[in-house]
Amino acid sequence: MAEITRRAPGRGRFITFEGGEGTGKSTQIKKLAERLEVEKVHVVVTREPGGSPGAEVIRHLVLSGMGKLLGPDAETLLFAAARDDHVRTVIAPALARGSWVLCDRFYDSTRAYQVKLGQVAPAVLNAMQRVTIGDLTPDMTIILDLPVEVGLKRAAARRSGEPPDRFESEDLKFHQALRDAYREIAASEPQRCALIDANADVNTVAARVWAALHGRSFVNSTMATTA
Ligand code: TYD
């Protein structure tokens, strides 16, 4: 698989954010979107599972744990159905308009959660990928890396008393394996993926994300750590 998508002229950049629970993806996406807007880049922020009305219905289903009852392959197909709708109705049109798309999770989540940690065969993922995304691979994937205990503590604080969802309620071993899975993905595709140490304050991590984009010549200007 090509590690960096060849872009049609005028097509926006497609940047995905990945990582375990509580790694700060949504905060960092917000920081990056704000920074890009200063640079006059039109940005669309979205997420998976979900991001389009149809996919949000499926999000509700999988995060409630209902998908788990159907078994690993069927649960994975639910993520795929959501992705298909999201790509078709939100991501592809936005990129075609020249917007940049910042997406909180994409197919690396399926690779990490369902394939590397679950019981789904890589062939299922590959078939699913061909159908749902074709050659619309991310131009760049930011993988936020954090010790598991720190991430789970953050996720629990964010929930403020609400019960954990389908994946948050997995045990510590699962979350450690998840971190390892993401590190493996980053190592296997170093051109597309940037592994970012997320164990720092928000602005420091934002500066690291910006530096990763800068390193790939996606942006020109530098960003102060206090920005
Ligand atoms: P969400 O509340 O968005 O979690 P987070 O804030 O950690 O991103 O829930 C999404 C959950 O769905 C998350 O635990 C990861 C999981 N997931 C998969 O297992 N496979 C997938 O393909 C996707 C997109 C998400």
Side-chain angles (χ1 to χ4, degrees):
M1 184 174 24
E3 288 190 344
I4 301 235
T5 313
R6 279 192 303 277
R7 295 186 311 133
R11 175 192 182 274
R13 300 273 187 192
F14 182 25
I15 302 179
T16 57
F17 281 69
E18 297 278 356
E21 312 295 324
T23 46
K25 292 181 281 77
S26 50
T27 305
Q28 289 305 322
I29 288 175
K30 191 163 169 272
K31 296 286 286 182
L32 179 58
E34 287 166 3
R35 184 67 176 89
L36 286 169
E37 274 155 13
V38 170
E39 303 287 332
K40 307 273 184 272
V41 174
H42 186 264
V43 178
V44 171
V45 172
T46 188
R47 68 164 178 191
E48 288 207 348
S52 60
E56 287 291 328
V57 173
I58 301 175
R59 174 187 175 87
H60 181 70
L61 202 70
V62 281
L63 293 190
S64 71
M66 293 267 282
K68 189 179 181 183
L69 300 175
L70 303 175
D73 283 350
E75 186 182 41
T76 304
L77 289 171
L78 288 175
F79 283 112
R83 184 160 304 136
D84 183 62
D85 190 63
H86 186 212
V87 166
R88 230 171 356 91
T89 65
V90 175
I91 299 177
L95 292 172
R97 283 196 305 271
S99 300
W100 286 37
V101 175
L102 308 184
C103 188
D104 189 339
R105 298 194 181 281
F106 197 58
Y107 68 72
D108 292 303
S109 284
T110 314
R111 223 164 132 191
Y113 283 78
Q114 279 71 48
V115 176
K116 287 188 184 282
L117 271 77
Q119 298 147 21
V120 173
V124 173
L125 176 76
N126 294 339
M128 215 176 84
Q129 241 171 249
R130 267 199 313 279
V131 175
T132 57
I133 66 171
D135 61 0
L136 197 119
T137 49
D139 295 306
M140 184 173 183
T141 297
I142 304 285
I143 298 181
L144 297 178
D145 182 59
L146 192 63
V148 167
E149 308 73 41
V150 181
L152 288 178
K153 215 177 272 174
R154 282 189 193 171
R158 190 179 57 187
R159 279 199 309 274
S160 56
E162 289 292 310
D165 71 26
R166 152 84 176 90
F167 294 97
E168 285 166 349
S169 55
E170 295 282 357
D171 63 14
L172 206 65
K173 226 172 98 199
F174 175 95
H175 291 286
Q176 186 55 55
L178 182 64
R179 183 185 188 197
D180 295 342
Y182 272 122
R183 294 169 72 98
E184 263 177 49
I185 291 171
S188 70
E189 285 185 62
Q191 267 182 282
R192 175 174 66 89
C193 301
L195 187 74
I196 306 279
D197 176 3
N199 199 7
D201 66 87
V202 169
N203 288 332
T204 303
V205 178
R208 289 174 185 163
V209 170
W210 190 261
L213 263 71
H214 193 255
R216 282 159 175 80
S217 306
F218 280 23
V219 292
N220 296 319
S221 57
T222 52
M223 183 186 193
T225 46
T226 52

